[in-house]
Amino acid sequence: NLSPSLSLYPFGSRRIQCTCQVASAAVPSERQPSPAFAAMGISRDSRHKHRATGGRRNLHQKKRKFEMGRPAVLCKIGAKRVRAVRCRGGNMKYRGLRIDAGNFAWGSENCTKKVRILDVVYNSTSNEFVRTKTLTKNSIVQIDAQPYLHWYMKKFGVDLRKKGKKGAKDAKDGKEAKEEPEEKKSRHVIFKLKAREAKQKMDPAVEEQFQSGRLLASIASRPGQSGRCDGYVLEGEELTFYKRKLEKKKKQ
């Protein structure tokens, strides 16, 4: 019975009322589920591993912040989406979540262009990365050949899409040439382009790819760390190696 205390202490009623409200709030009418515990963090330490003999180690210290790891980004093809992450020492990493273009170098021609990434065709780590179109370092991708075609046309005066076509297609090319007016060039420019073309030698395997408008390229940057997807066009023995891999994959 709280009536005596209310009469003795004029301010007691307010205090008792407050405590009653808190108590009622603290005890819910229905039992709520307990909050789920946070998942264990990713750690790059080796204390949790077994010894070389197979024995277990005694843990003498807990995880440390400098041993912390982060989940894999698994960058996909899509409209550019990059997030900045502050790291130890105030350094920054740029998480590429979605990327659809990058700077790719054509090594033999000393030419680098920003081009669209069209598809992921091979990844030595896992076929799952090919299925989900995940961009990682050393992934083999198909890129748009259009910027290189324009550059080659301007420097050598040769359209690589029409080069090597014979027979019935020549007639179609002739009609297209009549429909599209050619750019006027001076005599000096024409001779200069012809001189360049005479010295020019291109890998037949690369030239063949220009007919389809797509080139095979390898990613050299780390999209999940730098937020960029740059690389180089495959040529020579490396191109032959990966073409063989892709053909083998098709047969399976």
Side-chain angles (χ1 to χ4, degrees):
N1 189 5
L2 299 173
S3 55
S5 61
L6 289 173
S7 60
L8 290 170
Y9 303 103
F11 300 106
S13 60
R14 194 175 296 169
R15 288 178 188 169
I16 292 166
Q17 189 180 0
C18 292
T19 53
C20 292
Q21 285 177 358
V22 171
S24 63
V27 182
S29 57
E30 295 180 7
R31 189 173 180 181
Q32 296 178 354
S34 59
F37 290 99
M40 291 184 69
I42 299 169
S43 184
R44 297 181 297 112
D45 69 317
S46 58
R47 289 188 302 279
H48 66 281
K49 294 193 173 183
H50 285 242
R51 291 190 174 94
T53 57
R56 292 187 64 181
R57 290 178 179 167
N58 294 323
L59 299 181
H60 68 285
Q61 67 180 39
K62 293 184 179 180
K63 294 179 181 179
R64 298 291 188 251
K65 179 72 183 272
F66 56 80
E67 295 168 344
M68 182 185 72
R70 296 185 183 87
V73 181
L74 303 178
C75 178
K76 303 287 193 299
I77 297 175
K80 188 176 180 182
R81 193 189 305 168
V82 178
R83 299 286 180 267
V85 179
R86 186 194 179 277
C87 305
R88 185 176 166 85
N91 297 312
M92 298 297 288
K93 285 184 180 180
Y94 298 93
R95 290 270 184 266
L97 306 177
R98 299 279 186 279
I99 296 176
D100 60 353
N103 296 325
F104 284 82
W106 187 3
S108 62
E109 297 299 330
N110 197 21
C111 167
T112 302
K113 296 289 178 186
K114 184 177 181 180
V115 294
R116 288 187 304 119
I117 300 167
L118 304 175
D119 196 9
V120 179
V121 293
Y122 183 78
N123 192 309
S124 58
T125 305
S126 172
N127 287 329
E128 192 71 9
F129 289 165
V130 179
R131 188 184 67 80
T132 55
K133 301 189 188 307
T134 302
L135 301 173
T136 62
K137 184 176 179 178
N138 217 39
S139 291
I140 305 303
V141 295
Q142 281 185 338
I143 59 173
D144 185 18
Q146 202 65 24
Y148 300 108
L149 286 168
H150 288 311
W151 174 83
Y152 201 89
M153 183 69 184
K154 193 174 181 181
K155 185 169 184 180
F156 298 101
V158 177
D159 191 349
L160 290 171
R161 288 170 297 184
K162 297 176 183 177
K163 194 175 180 183
K165 293 180 180 179
K166 294 181 180 179
K169 293 184 180 179
D170 289 341
K172 292 182 181 178
D173 295 342
K175 289 178 183 177
E176 288 175 7
K178 288 177 184 176
E179 290 172 5
E180 297 175 9
E182 290 186 4
E183 185 184 346
K184 289 185 178 179
K185 295 173 185 171
S186 67
R187 189 166 172 272
H188 169 71
V189 171
I190 292 167
F191 276 99
K192 185 170 73 172
L193 293 175
K194 283 184 178 178
R196 282 179 182 171
E197 189 187 355
K199 296 176 185 177
Q200 178 64 7
K201 288 182 181 179
M202 189 188 290
D203 186 351
V206 177
E207 191 175 339
E208 186 186 341
Q209 290 182 87
F210 277 106
Q211 309 299 329
S212 63
R214 294 184 170 206
L215 297 175
L216 287 175
S218 177
I219 296 173
S221 67
R222 300 170 69 192
Q225 306 289 320
S226 62
R228 298 173 63 89
C229 194
D230 302 334
Y232 57 92
V233 176
L234 294 178
E235 297 179 277
E237 291 181 5
E238 194 174 9
L239 176 59
T240 308
F241 173 82
Y242 283 113
K243 283 184 84 173
R244 199 183 301 123
K245 286 277 186 185
L246 292 171
E247 285 169 11
K248 188 178 178 183
K249 192 178 171 186
K250 285 179 183 178
K251 290 176 182 177
Q252 289 177 351

